[in-house]
């Protein structure tokens, strides 16, 4: 079945807006400077699983750019790109693992969380710090401290929020053949 471009565009718009609101207004400062603990990555994981890697990329990229822009310090492109990469990885992971094709079993929850853990480690433990070094020539020690705290916080919040969102969505989704007429 082909995806509707209208549905994708609406998902990107609404997804980026919600990512922005969650990241900007539902964030807890961490002890590491310029690093917050927030739930937007659980939401991004959910949207990426639901709509796919392209939509995940754009939701993460646009949403994170809006967050940075709203703070007034300028857009920190290395972390914006890492958010987009996370959306891609979760979208690809859901396609490969076929999460939700038969509900959301314990095995699916484990697959989802292994995928998000790997994606967060790639994004915040490698991509964001390396892009910071390449683009901004930032001090290495600070970058990897920020990346480690971000990865750990995002893994925990995605495990909680992302698992709940995917589980609730799939539980509420009508099952194939559930709307048959009774005889």
């Amino acid at each position: 079945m082909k995806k509707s471009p209208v549905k994708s565009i609406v998902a990107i718009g609404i997804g980026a807006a919600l990512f922005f609101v969650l990241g900007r207004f539902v964030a807890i400062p961490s002890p590491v400077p310029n690093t917050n603990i927030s739930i937007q990555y659980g939401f991004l994981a959910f949207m990426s699983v639901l709509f796919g890697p392209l939509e995940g990329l754009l939701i993460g990229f646009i949403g994170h750019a809006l967050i940075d822009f709203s703070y007034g310090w300028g857009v920190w492109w290395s972390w914006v790109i890492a958010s987009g990469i996370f959306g891609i990885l979760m979208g690809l992971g859901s396609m490969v693992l076929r999460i939700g094709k038969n509900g959301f079993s314990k095995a699916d929850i484990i697959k989802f969380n292994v995928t998000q853990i790997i994606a967060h480690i790639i994004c915040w433990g490698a991509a964001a710090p390396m892009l910071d070094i390449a683009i901004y020539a930032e001090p290495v020690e600070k970058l990897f401290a920020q990346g480690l705290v971000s990865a750990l916080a995002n893994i925990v919040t995605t495990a909680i929020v992302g698992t709940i969102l995917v589980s609730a969505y799939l539980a509420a989704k009508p099952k194939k053949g559930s709307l048959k007429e009774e005889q």
Side-chain angles (χ1 to χ4, degrees):
M1 187 166 109
K2 220 174 168 187
K3 280 200 291 191
S4 164
V6 172
K7 197 182 238 186
S8 291
I9 291 168
V10 170
I12 293 165
I14 292 172
L18 285 172
F19 185 94
F20 164 73
V21 169
L22 293 171
R24 181 64 168 92
F25 301 110
V26 187
I28 302 164
S30 80
V32 176
N34 302 321
T35 308
N36 291 326
I37 300 166
S38 47
I39 62 173
Q40 76 260 28
Y41 291 99
F43 174 73
L44 178 56
F46 166 67
M47 293 296 283
S48 299
V49 165
L50 199 59
F51 292 101
L54 176 62
E55 292 83 350
L57 162 71
L58 293 171
I59 291 167
F61 187 88
I62 295 167
H64 197 131
L66 291 171
I67 292 168
D68 283 2
F69 183 75
S70 74
Y71 275 113
W73 60 58
V75 178
W76 209 254
W77 291 109
S78 51
W79 288 64
V80 169
I81 292 167
S83 289
I85 293 169
F86 180 76
I88 290 172
L89 293 175
M90 287 307 297
L92 289 173
S94 72
M95 292 169 60
V96 171
L97 300 170
R98 303 180 57 79
I99 293 171
K101 298 301 177 195
N102 298 315
F104 200 50
S105 66
K106 286 182 185 176
D108 291 328
I109 292 170
I110 291 168
K111 291 177 198 175
F112 172 81
N113 280 293
V114 167
T115 302
Q116 67 96 356
I117 289 167
I118 292 168
H120 280 306
I121 290 170
I122 290 169
C123 292
W124 312 116
M130 286 193 264
L131 287 168
D132 269 349
I133 292 166
I135 297 170
Y136 304 108
E138 287 285 313
V140 174
E141 300 80 25
K142 177 185 122 182
L143 298 177
F144 286 100
Q146 286 178 329
L148 177 64
V149 168
S150 293
L152 292 174
N154 292 340
I155 285 168
V156 171
T157 59
T158 302
I160 297 166
V161 174
T163 302
I164 289 170
L165 289 172
V166 173
S167 188
Y169 172 79
L170 292 173
K173 190 175 175 183
K175 308 297 181 254
K176 188 173 184 171
S178 66
L179 301 177
K180 288 183 181 177
E181 289 182 15
E182 290 186 31
Q183 306 247 354

